[in-house]
Every structure is written in C-alpha cells, then in structure tokens.
Amino acid sequence: SIIAFSVATETVHGSESIGASVIKPSHTSKGIPIPMSNEQVVGVAVSWGDMDVYYVSLCEPSNCITANKRALDLSQVGANPLVPLEKRIQAMHSIFSTPHNYFLIAYDLKKHVKYLMSACQVDITGVLCDPKVADWLLDPDMREKTLNHMVLKYLP
C-alpha cells in the first residue's frame, strides 16, 4: 500500500524578529511549535487511495472555525472541536508509527519527517520514498526541480 503525505506548517512571527512590529499575523491558529524553529505544524494531509486526500488539522480546538467565524485558512480546515488535539496526534501515530509494509511518499521527505518527529514525537516506520531524491538520481546534473515540474515531466 502507498501513503502520500505532506505536513502543513506556518511561520510564527515573534516579537524578536526583524520587522515584527510591522508584520501582523494573518490568523491566530495555534499549531504545534517545531523546536529550534520559527515554524509550527498546523496539519497533515494524507492520501492512501487513488483519489481521496484527508486533512487533519493539528491546531488547538479553541481556534477552530465556528459557524459564526469563517476564514479561508487551511490550518483550520478539518479541525473539529469535538475531537481533542491529543486524539488527532494519536491518529498521526497510528498512521506513521505502526509497523506496516506501507510506502510513505512525500516530496522533500526529510523536512516532513523532521517536522513530525520534532513537533509531534511521531516515529516514522515503513519504506520511505522521496520523488525529489528519485529525480536527482535520474538526473544528478540538473538543478533541483519543483514537484509541479516533475509532474509535468514524468506524468503524461
């Protein structure tokens, strides 16, 4: 079985950064801080079928969209205040830490594994695959390509 995933992050604008008095955060999602970084994990998109993609928000339930407050903030999509954050993190553990024979695929895999391990303490098991590395193995002399470029090149 194949599981493709991507970890959604956002930058946290702290008071000690340059321009912090001018830059205002665009929203107030409270994700899981990534240690030694100015980013936070706000969710994970997971796909294990031909068509379905699921997004699990890792924001605090108190910051989720309610019926009276609407926004186009992807960090809030899939954040059900009835499901505690601990349960959502347990779901990440059951997907990524349970021994299985899955192929886990993510573009720039090292970054996504680092985010899951450092912010959510999720140990990754399974066979890890990175299209970015595969493309470099096929053509090591070319400059780094985006996922969009690789899709256009390799998928008819």
Side-chain angles (χ1 to χ4, degrees):
S1 221
I2 296 174
I3 296 177
F5 71 99
S6 182
V7 178
T9 62
E10 69 178 27
T11 302
V12 178
H13 298 286
S15 60
E16 62 279 345
S17 65
I18 296 173
S21 61
V22 178
I23 298 172
K24 302 289 186 236
S26 59
H27 44 78
T28 59
S29 65
K30 300 279 194 260
I32 301 170
I34 299 169
M36 310 272 299
S37 171
N38 66 338
E39 292 185 296
Q40 60 186 357
V41 173
V42 294
V44 179
V46 181
S47 175
W48 59 82
D50 291 336
M51 300 291 286
D52 296 329
V53 177
Y54 301 93
Y55 182 80
V56 178
S57 174
L58 296 178
C59 293
E60 294 290 340
S62 61
N63 294 315
C64 297
I65 294 175
T66 63
N68 298 331
K69 177 184 171 189
R70 302 206 187 280
L72 294 175
D73 178 6
L74 286 179
S75 68
Q76 301 300 326
V77 175
N80 185 339
L82 300 177
V83 180
L85 180 60
E86 296 79 29
K87 291 280 189 191
R88 289 181 263 154
I89 293 175
Q90 284 176 358
M92 295 299 106
H93 281 276
S94 67
I95 293 169
F96 296 107
S97 298
T98 306
H100 48 64
N101 293 326
Y102 297 152
F103 288 90
L104 297 172
I105 300 175
Y107 179 81
D108 200 6
L109 181 74
K110 180 180 173 183
K111 176 179 70 173
H112 294 286
V113 168
K114 175 186 153 193
Y115 291 161
L116 284 174
M117 291 180 81
S118 62
C120 305
Q121 288 75 46
V122 173
D123 294 323
I124 310 295
T125 61
V127 180
L128 304 177
C129 304
D130 187 344
K132 184 175 170 180
V133 173
D135 182 64
W136 176 79
L137 288 171
L138 290 171
D139 197 358
D141 294 330
M142 292 297 291
R143 63 182 178 88
E144 185 177 311
K145 297 179 191 80
T146 64
L147 181 60
N148 187 38
H149 183 270
M150 289 190 309
V151 167
L152 293 174
K153 180 179 178 180
Y154 296 113
L155 295 176

